Amino acid sequence: MAKILVTGGLGFIGSHTVVELVNAGYEPVIVDDLSNSDPKIMDQLAKIIGYKPPFYKLDLCDEQGTRELAEKEPDGFEIIMTGFYKSRSKTVFKAALIESFKNVTRYFFYFDQRHVIYTGITCTNKQS
């Protein structure tokens, strides 16, 4: 069974992605910083799919944390980046997207984990 890292895996898009991956025979590994999600979603996922998938609380903009994740998962996996980022500006959103994407590609490619990366991240501008 192929492992697939789902970033934002406890959010709306990510949690639904996890369910569909399990239904298709894949083994999801969830990474989420919980900024726009709730850890209770893991319990709901477990009821739907029958088990709790591996979960890492991590902001992928954290370079050291991303490196440590890559080291913990030496067999690697394909990566699906989902997420919902609330920001006051598109500039802040783009900077976070670029930083997280850079860290993921740097460390997972560095450890010879060359797999497909799909980005499906959305942004809204939060009004003051």
Side-chain angles (χ1 to χ4, degrees), residues 14 25 27 50 53 65 79 88 96 113 117 126-127:
E27 181 184 344
I79 301 166
R88 294 192 182 274
Q113 299 172 3
I117 296 177
K126 184 167 73 175
Q127 301 299 320

Side-chain angles (χ1 to χ4, degrees), residues 18-85:
V18 167
V19 171
E20 293 307 316
L21 288 170
V22 169
N23 289 340
Y26 294 98
E27 181 184 344
V29 175
I30 298 172
V31 171
D32 200 309
D33 68 359
L34 302 176
S35 63
N36 291 305
S37 56
D38 190 314
K40 294 176 194 171
I41 299 299
M42 182 62 83
D43 294 329
Q44 294 171 341
L45 274 174
K47 287 179 185 176
I48 294 168
I49 64 175
Y51 71 98
K52 287 187 179 183
F55 168 71
Y56 296 95
K57 183 179 184 294
L58 174 65
D59 180 344
L60 291 170
C61 290
D62 173 1
E63 185 176 346
Q64 182 61 33
T66 305
R67 180 185 175 94
E68 290 170 5
L69 174 62
E71 291 170 343
K72 287 178 186 174
E73 295 286 346
D75 296 331
F77 30 65
E78 296 189 24
I79 301 166
I80 297 178
M81 296 180 77
T82 68
F84 183 76
Y85 187 82

Side-chain angles (χ1 to χ4, degrees), residues 52-128:
K52 287 187 179 183
F55 168 71
Y56 296 95
K57 183 179 184 294
L58 174 65
D59 180 344
L60 291 170
C61 290
D62 173 1
E63 185 176 346
Q64 182 61 33
T66 305
R67 180 185 175 94
E68 290 170 5
L69 174 62
E71 291 170 343
K72 287 178 186 174
E73 295 286 346
D75 296 331
F77 30 65
E78 296 189 24
I79 301 166
I80 297 178
M81 296 180 77
T82 68
F84 183 76
Y85 187 82
K86 292 181 183 176
S87 155
R88 294 192 182 274
S89 74
K90 289 183 180 179
T91 303
V92 171
F93 168 74
K94 287 178 184 176
L97 175 61
I98 290 168
E99 187 65 22
S100 63
F101 188 79
K102 181 180 76 173
N103 288 338
V104 167
T105 56
R106 173 186 297 141
Y107 291 112
F108 287 95
F109 285 5
Y110 175 79
F111 290 106
D112 201 28
Q113 299 172 3
R114 296 181 184 95
H115 299 280
V116 176
I117 296 177
Y118 166 76
T119 61
I121 301 176
T122 58
C123 171
T124 61
N125 289 331
K126 184 167 73 175
Q127 301 299 320
S128 298

